[in-house]
């Protein structure tokens, strides 16, 4: 394992200053700065949505900054696209794989920048692939990485860690002097992580400078020389890793003070209505227990990819669990799919309302009554439009959905109102247990507090709620109890009295 | 790293083709001179068409109008030959026809962002209507003379058709192109992982247009190979050929989802599809039932190339045993 934190060189290779980038409705980066020095491993950390990925995408030309300057080895840097970045010696290893599963390792490494030779001596206008040269170069790269890989193996047949090595080899085939690793260990086992760190150490020894994005603090202390913390799109701190403590990092990442703008009221909490025991799903959930009481709001916290959504889907029968038991009112529930879960009063509202929640080209009332078709349709399945209207009008009024009418197409509503339609649709099923996945993602502040008010009202009326959220203040402000997930496991449970941002992050990181 | 080496899919297909031929030779008079000759004659246009279709499928697209494009190619080449044009005129003319029509498909699909299956299905119908309405005598060309049919009827050693040799040369050329040129690699990239292709500096739209142009060129060749074997041409009779090409590609291991497959596989696929139809004739199946069987074969082929077997095994685990079912019910 590489733990040697060598003296950081003072030569700057990549320098970003005053970088801002906005997307419609969001300021992703604001006056951001970062400086990468020769041969250092520079960690970048921050909460979900702090702007890490946007920053990397600016450096590699996926996005262009709205303002600010970038320079490479002292010269101004303009990157048009990822390939252009490669050509300039900057390579990124994306979180999502960028490999071609049906092709071989060798073909993958040189895709888009194949080594060419003329078909025959003078026929320079007929370029064909120069396999011997590519093979030799690939061999040389792998030997530099200290590995021996079958260059003709099909990538689809390789393990996740090996695929990552191919990605790294691909990056190196451009003679990259700067390597950006975006959460490279997210999908790796601890042994594979050790191999990766070993590789990173070798690259560092060869003078490659690296930006290492991770929210696993342990890793940062293990391999990084310096660390930069980003919060809400802004640069917070850059420091030598040996000079900081874990607590300091966490406090930089959290930083903000919590304003109590949440309308959470104390509701009498009743008996346990829902219980899950040892829920397992291969590679996703490693045995999770939870219980939920009447009138309770249970917050589900954790970083992206920690298994929150996977747990919610399994609880609602939307994905099949490998093992585990679900009890409703103390009796085993045998439902096997979402239809069965709905019949037992469990309703899940997806974080991605456009994709899973709503049929956007349909009207508000059609969406709200979609799960109730059997109840509002008469003989031969003909829909009773009167009933449809009565039901939807009630929820439109209850949730104060701002729409010109029930027959208005959902697509034309604002994000907040779409979310309310999504909630209305769930409520129309008259659930006892409501699972809300990121209920306020992408809605404006006004709509957000209205949705919070609705959630509280639901709890008061005796419904039990599981709320997944990446927004820590929301979790803190709304929950009676919080479960923190990490790597598919429940790593902590905090009562309302024990709650604090630091505690949740401490558990989640 | 990876220990065991798998036998390539193409090798298995090759063995299958040989075994199939041996089986037919033993059980029928397939191995007669005329049997072998008709196979080579019939399979040649399918080989070229299957290669064309495979390249399109590898990019994640398809061409349902390939059959009707062949009709236009045959009509263009045949009409010129009827007017007395020699091969060096009617061959390029036919190929140009193929390039224009297939290129139009690609251009429409990319420019208006319409999935290629919709574009080419529509074009298939447009072509058919066009034949009947605008072509003289619905495109029927009769009494073609030697200046046209010498190509399709000529043979080496009184056995091997010229067109078979041409088809094999095309196959070798495209095997080389797919493996040894940036163009070939870009087709796999676009069909395999479009986003990653963009990150690798490949323009997917331009690649798709290019692949349709090349497909058109090959359809031009296939159309001429097919047309010159007869002394009359009826364009609408070519409709349905695309299904043979698609079957051959899919049976040959080209992934219908895009991103995977080899030219050699498609060539063997073309043989297999032909041998299958011949076998069914020998076995005495009625004409139309052949379609059903061929359809089932394609279904199986797609299933084999597309299915993730570890996932399926996991899903089916226990389904077929009583204990397994009980365990599932408990869970």
């Amino acid at each position: 394992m590489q733990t040697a934190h060598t003296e950081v060189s003072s030569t700057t290779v990549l320098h970003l200053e005053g970088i801002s980038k906005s997307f419609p409705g969001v300021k992703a980066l604001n006056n951001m700065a970062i400086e990468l020095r020769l041969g250092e491993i520079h960690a970048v950390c921050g909460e979900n949505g702090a702007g890490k990925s946007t920053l990397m995408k600016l450096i590699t030309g996926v996005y262009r900054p709205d303002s600010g300057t970038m320079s490479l080895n002292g010269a101004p840097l303009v990157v048009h696209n990822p390939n252009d970045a490669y050509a300039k010696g900057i390579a990124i290893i994306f979180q999502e794989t960028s490999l071609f599963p049906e092709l071989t390792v060798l073909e993958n490494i040189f895709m888009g920048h194949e080594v060419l030779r003329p078909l025959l001596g003078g026929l320079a206008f007929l370029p064909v692939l120069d396999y011997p040269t590519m093979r030799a170069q690939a061999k040389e790269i792998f030997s530099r990485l200290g590995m021996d890989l079958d260059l003709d193996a099909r990538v689809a047949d390789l393990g996740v860690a090996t695929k990552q090595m191919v990605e790294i080899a691909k990056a190196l085939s451009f003679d990259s002097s700067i390597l950006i690793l975006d959460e490279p260990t997210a999908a790796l086992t601890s042994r594979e992580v050790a191999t990766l760190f070993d590789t990173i150490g070798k690259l560092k020894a060869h003078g490659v400078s690296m930006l290492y994005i991770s929210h696993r603090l342990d890793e940062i202390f293990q391999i990084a020389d310096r660390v930069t913390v980003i919060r809400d799109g802004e640069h917070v701190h850059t420091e030598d890793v040996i000079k900081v403590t874990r607590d300091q990092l966490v406090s930089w990442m959290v930083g903000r003070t919590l304003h109590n703008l949440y309308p959470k009221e104390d509701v009498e909490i009743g008996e346990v209505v829902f219980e899950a025991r040892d829920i397992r799903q291969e590679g996703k959930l490693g045995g999770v227990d939870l219980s939920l009481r009447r009138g309770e709001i249970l917050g589900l916290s954790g970083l992206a990819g920690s298994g929150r959504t996977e747990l919610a889907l399994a609880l609602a029968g939307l994905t099949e669990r490998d093992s585990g038991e679900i009890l409703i009112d103390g009796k085993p529930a045998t439902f096997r799919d979402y239809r069965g879960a709905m019949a037992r009063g469990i309703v899940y509202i997806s974080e991605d309302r456009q994709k899973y929640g709503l049929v956007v080209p349909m009207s508000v009332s059609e969406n709200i009554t979609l799960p109730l078709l059997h109840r509002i349709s008469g003989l031969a399945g003909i829909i009773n439009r009167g009933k449809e209207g009565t039901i939807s009008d009630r929820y439109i009024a209850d949730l104060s959905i701002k729409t010109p009418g029930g027959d208005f197409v959902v697509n034309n509503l604002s994000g907040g109102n779409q979310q309310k339609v999504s909630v209305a649709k769930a409520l129309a099923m008259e659930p006892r247990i409501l699972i809300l996945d990121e209920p306020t993602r992408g809605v404006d502040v006004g709509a957000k507090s209205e949705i919070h008010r609705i959630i509280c009202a639901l709890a008061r009326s005796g419904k039990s709620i599981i709320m997944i959220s990446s927004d820590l203040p929301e979790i803190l402000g709304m929950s009676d109890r919080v479960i923190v997930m990490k790597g598919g496991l429940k790593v902590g449970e905090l009562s309302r009295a024990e709650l604090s941002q630091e505690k949740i992050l401490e558990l989640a990181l | 790293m990876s220990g065991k080496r798998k036998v390539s899919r193409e090798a298995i297909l090759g063995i299958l083709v040989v075994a199939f031929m041996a089986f037919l030779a033993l059980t029928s008079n397939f191995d007669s001179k005329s049997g072998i000759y008709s196979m080579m004659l019939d399979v040649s246009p399918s080989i070229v068409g299957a290669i064309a279709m495979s390249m399109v499928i590898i990019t994640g697209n398809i061409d349902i109008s390939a059959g009707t494009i062949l009709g236009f190619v045959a009509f263009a080449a045949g009409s010129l030959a009827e007017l007395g044009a020699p091969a060096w005129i009617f061959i390029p003319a036919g190929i140009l026809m193929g390039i224009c029509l297939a290129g139009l498909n690609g251009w429409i699909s990319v420019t208006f962002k319409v999935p290629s299956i919709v574009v080419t299905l529509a074009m298939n119908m447009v072509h058919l209507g066009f034949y009947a309405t605008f072509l003289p005598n619905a495109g029927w060309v009769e009494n073609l003379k030697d200046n046209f049919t010498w190509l399709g009827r000529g043979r080496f050693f009184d056995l091997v058709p010229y067109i078979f040799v041409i088809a094999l040369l095309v196959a070798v050329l495209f095997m080389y192109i797919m493996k040894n040129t940036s163009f070939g690699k870009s087709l796999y990239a676009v069909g395999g992982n479009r986003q990653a292709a963009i990150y690798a500096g490949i323009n997917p739209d331009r690649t798709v247009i290019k692949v349709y142009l090349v497909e058109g060129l090959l359809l031009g060749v296939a159309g001429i190979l097919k047309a010159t074997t007869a002394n009359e041409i009826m364009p609408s009779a070519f409709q349905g050929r695309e299904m043979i090409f698609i079957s051959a590609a899919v049976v040959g291991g080209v992934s219908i989802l895009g991103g995977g497959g080899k030219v050699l596989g498609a060539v063997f696929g073309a043989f297999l599809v032909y041998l299958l139809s011949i076998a069914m004739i020998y076995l005495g199946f009625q004409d139309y039932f052949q379609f059903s069987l061929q359809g089932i074969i394609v279904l199986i082929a797609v299933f084999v190339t597309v299915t993730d077997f570890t996932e399926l095994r996991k899903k089916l685990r226990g389904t077929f045993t009583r204990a397994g079912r009980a365990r599932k019910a408990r869970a």
Side-chain angles (χ1 to χ4, degrees):
Chain A
M1 203 124 298
Q2 302 286 318
T3 42
H5 299 285
T6 43
E7 195 68 19
V8 175
S9 138
S10 59
T11 318
T12 303
V13 282
L14 182 69
H15 200 179
L16 277 73
E17 244 185 326
I19 297 285
S20 296
K21 173 76 188 172
S22 297
F23 296 105
V26 209
K27 188 138 199 173
L29 286 176
N30 185 21
N31 200 19
M32 177 66 201
I34 195 164
E35 179 214 15
L36 180 67
R37 295 192 190 150
L38 183 66
E40 76 163 336
I41 300 176
H42 192 133
V44 179
C45 65
E47 281 188 87
N48 292 339
K52 293 168 293 186
S53 291
T54 308
L55 180 66
M56 300 311 135
K57 287 185 172 165
L58 288 174
I59 298 175
T60 50
V62 178
Y63 302 140
R64 300 292 274 291
D66 297 339
S67 61
T69 55
M70 304 200 281
S71 65
L72 180 67
N73 297 323
L77 171 71
V78 181
V79 188
H80 300 284
N81 54 52
N83 219 39
D84 188 28
Y86 282 133
K88 294 183 161 96
I90 304 170
I92 185 163
I93 292 158
F94 287 100
Q95 246 167 310
E96 63 268 36
T97 171
S98 68
L99 298 176
F100 306 98
E102 292 285 336
L103 300 184
T104 66
V105 172
L106 185 66
E107 289 170 326
N108 263 286
I109 291 175
F110 290 97
M111 178 60 78
H113 65 115
E114 297 88 352
V115 181
L116 299 171
R117 63 173 173 84
L119 177 58
L120 292 167
L123 297 176
F125 59 92
L126 279 180
V128 296
L129 305 198
D130 186 351
Y131 275 101
T133 308
M134 288 196 287
R135 197 170 281 277
Q137 283 184 13
K139 274 224 172 83
E140 192 269 323
I141 290 165
F142 279 116
S143 76
R144 219 190 317 161
L145 294 176
M147 348 187 6
D148 182 26
L149 202 68
D150 179 6
L151 298 178
D152 299 314
R154 210 170 61 117
V155 162
D157 298 331
L158 303 177
V160 186
T162 322
K163 278 185 190 152
Q164 200 131 39
M165 294 303 159
V166 177
E167 297 250 24
I168 292 177
K170 183 174 162 184
L172 294 179
S173 70
F174 286 94
D175 271 330
S176 309
S177 55
I178 297 173
L179 196 59
I180 300 171
L181 298 132
D182 191 358
E183 303 276 1
T185 57
L188 302 186
T189 65
S190 57
R191 240 190 73 214
E192 293 168 338
V193 170
T195 319
L196 177 72
F197 285 179
D198 201 42
T199 308
I200 290 176
K202 284 185 182 127
L203 292 175
K204 182 183 151 96
H206 279 85
V208 177
S209 317
M210 279 171 272
L211 279 175
Y212 186 90
I213 305 171
S214 180
H215 43 224
R216 299 190 180 179
L217 298 186
D218 302 338
E219 292 176 356
I220 292 173
F221 285 103
Q222 214 172 2
I223 60 164
D225 300 306
R226 292 197 303 157
V227 57
T228 289
V229 177
I230 311 183
R231 185 177 66 228
D232 299 334
E234 295 185 26
H235 175 263
V236 179
H237 252 291
T238 297
E239 190 57 86
D240 289 349
V241 167
I242 30 172
K243 291 185 195 153
V244 292
T245 63
R246 212 187 139 91
D247 290 346
Q248 230 169 341
L249 270 189
V250 172
S251 71
W252 286 340
M253 284 164 70
V254 176
R256 61 175 106 80
T257 46
L258 176 62
H259 307 292
N260 201 4
L261 34 76
Y262 296 89
K264 172 71 182 143
E265 39 192 307
D266 285 321
V267 170
E268 195 182 329
I269 289 172
E271 73 287 357
V272 173
V273 289
F274 179 87
E275 226 182 323
R277 287 183 190 156
D278 199 29
I279 303 293
R280 285 173 189 276
Q281 223 172 40
E282 202 185 322
K284 289 178 185 159
L285 297 170
V288 181
D289 300 317
L290 72 80
S291 67
L292 183 65
R293 292 168 178 274
R294 195 180 140 79
E296 186 180 38
I297 301 176
L298 173 65
L300 210 50
S301 188
L303 301 164
S306 60
R308 300 170 311 183
T309 296
E310 289 74 9
L311 177 63
L313 294 175
L315 293 181
L318 280 156
T319 55
E320 220 174 314
R321 54 183 190 272
D322 294 337
S323 67
E325 207 179 5
I326 289 177
L327 290 87
I328 296 176
D329 299 324
K331 290 185 214 79
T334 52
F335 62 81
R336 289 177 61 182
D337 53 11
Y338 187 46
R339 204 184 158 82
M342 266 162 44
R344 301 299 306 269
I346 301 172
V347 167
Y348 169 80
I349 303 178
S350 166
E351 62 183 312
D352 191 342
R353 55 179 175 270
Q354 292 271 348
K355 200 164 165 194
Y356 301 111
L358 300 170
V359 186
V360 288
M362 274 168 47
S363 76
V364 172
S365 50
E366 281 170 325
N367 265 290
I368 293 176
T369 56
L370 197 57
L372 306 174
L373 285 178
H374 61 283
R375 256 175 42 200
I376 59 164
S377 53
L379 220 58
I382 294 164
I383 292 171
N384 181 334
R385 294 282 170 195
K387 267 190 197 167
E388 181 185 281
T390 320
I391 294 176
S392 60
D393 285 350
R394 202 182 97 210
Y395 288 105
I396 291 172
D398 274 8
L399 305 185
S400 44
I401 297 171
K402 286 180 202 74
T403 168
D407 53 0
F408 197 66
V409 173
V410 165
N411 210 2
N412 300 332
L413 294 178
S414 72
N417 278 298
Q418 286 189 12
Q419 185 62 17
K420 283 197 223 164
V421 175
S422 196
V423 173
K425 182 180 138 203
L427 295 183
M429 292 182 253
E430 294 169 2
R432 297 176 57 206
I433 295 151
L434 205 55
I435 305 175
L436 297 156
D437 199 346
E438 301 282 5
T440 59
R441 171 170 292 175
V443 307
D444 60 64
V445 185
K448 197 166 164 172
S449 71
E450 254 184 282
I451 289 169
H452 289 148
R453 189 183 49 75
I454 293 167
I455 294 173
C456 288
L458 290 171
R460 197 185 331 118
S461 72
K463 299 196 189 307
S464 308
I465 290 154
I466 297 176
M467 183 181 76
I468 299 176
S469 177
S470 296
D471 184 350
L472 276 180
E474 178 171 272
I475 284 276
L476 292 176
M478 296 292 297
S479 313
D480 293 304
R481 191 158 53 94
V482 173
I483 284 178
V484 184
M485 305 266 306
K486 178 184 176 180
L489 293 168
K490 178 165 106 177
V491 289
E493 193 167 333
L494 302 166
S495 69
R496 189 162 177 79
E498 302 170 297
L499 279 179
S500 74
Q501 293 203 61
E502 285 78 8
K503 263 189 192 145
I504 293 180
L505 269 183
E506 184 71 30
L507 288 166
L509 288 167
Chain B
M1 258 298 130
S2 71
K4 61 183 174 204
R5 224 193 163 79
K6 287 193 296 187
V7 184
S8 80
R9 183 181 283 147
E10 287 67 34
I12 297 173
L13 284 166
I15 294 166
L16 209 58
V17 169
V18 173
F20 211 143
M21 286 182 187
F23 169 73
L24 284 179
L26 290 172
T27 54
S28 68
N29 59 350
F30 168 78
D31 56 336
S32 66
K33 192 172 168 187
S34 73
I36 300 286
Y37 174 68
S38 3
M39 177 185 75
M40 289 191 286
L41 202 64
D42 265 24
V43 90
S44 303
S46 302
I47 289 176
V48 179
I51 294 169
M53 189 63 77
S54 298
M55 295 173 74
V56 172
I57 294 177
I58 284 169
T59 62
N61 288 282
I62 199 151
D63 190 352
I64 305 294
S65 70
T68 50
I69 289 178
L70 290 188
F72 274 110
V73 169
F75 168 77
S79 318
L80 285 172
E82 198 186 19
L83 298 172
W88 62 267
I89 291 180
F90 72 73
I91 292 177
I95 289 176
L96 192 66
M97 184 61 111
I99 292 175
C100 291
L101 290 174
L104 180 64
N105 286 346
W107 180 77
I108 292 174
S109 175
V110 163
T111 310
F112 302 104
K113 305 207 182 312
V114 186
S116 59
I117 188 158
V118 177
V119 173
T120 58
L121 191 63
M123 289 312 271
N124 173 50
M125 296 193 277
V126 170
H127 293 162
L128 278 178
F130 196 96
Y131 296 153
T133 319
F134 297 108
L135 295 188
N137 201 11
W140 202 320
V141 187
E142 286 174 291
N143 298 321
L144 284 159
K145 303 283 179 331
D146 268 1
N147 71 327
F148 189 64
T149 55
W150 66 267
L151 182 63
R153 297 208 171 136
R155 25 180 153 169
F156 295 109
F157 316 115
D158 199 27
L159 176 68
V160 183
Y162 292 170
I163 63 168
F164 187 66
V165 176
I166 294 173
L168 292 188
L169 288 176
V170 168
V172 170
L173 177 65
F174 276 84
M175 278 164 68
Y176 186 82
I177 288 176
M178 290 302 271
K179 182 143 179 61
N180 289 287
T181 66
S182 311
F183 168 69
K185 293 298 165 209
S186 68
L187 303 188
Y188 290 103
V190 169
N193 187 343
R194 190 184 162 91
Q195 200 56 40
I198 295 172
Y199 287 166
I202 294 162
N203 180 332
D205 287 350
R206 224 179 288 163
T207 309
V208 169
I209 290 186
K210 272 195 232 164
V211 83
Y212 273 101
L213 290 172
V214 174
E215 184 223 7
L217 183 149
L218 286 172
L219 289 180
V221 174
I224 287 164
L225 295 191
K226 183 70 191 164
T228 53
T229 56
N231 54 8
E232 58 174 37
I233 289 166
M234 188 168 69
S236 60
F238 287 89
Q239 203 231 353
R241 279 262 141 195
E242 69 280 355
M243 284 305 157
I244 295 179
F245 301 160
I246 295 169
S247 314
V250 170
V251 170
V254 176
S255 166
I256 200 76
L257 302 176
K262 297 230 157 67
V263 168
L264 184 60
V267 172
F268 288 141
F271 273 99
L272 281 174
V273 169
Y274 172 80
L275 291 170
L276 207 68
S277 66
I278 287 297
M280 283 184 279
I281 291 169
Y282 281 136
L283 293 172
F285 283 109
Q286 283 179 350
D287 265 7
Y288 289 102
F289 188 64
Q290 288 186 32
F291 287 128
S292 307
L293 269 182
Q294 268 184 19
I296 291 167
I297 301 286
V298 169
L299 215 53
I300 294 172
V302 171
F303 174 73
V304 170
T305 47
V306 169
T307 309
D308 177 348
F309 281 95
T310 35
E311 198 54 30
L312 184 74
R313 211 173 301 134
K314 210 174 125 193
K315 206 166 178 179
L316 292 183
R317 195 194 296 149
T319 307
F320 301 111
T321 62
R322 191 177 296 165
R325 272 198 300 274
R327 191 167 62 238
K328 263 200 165 168
R330 272 201 309 279

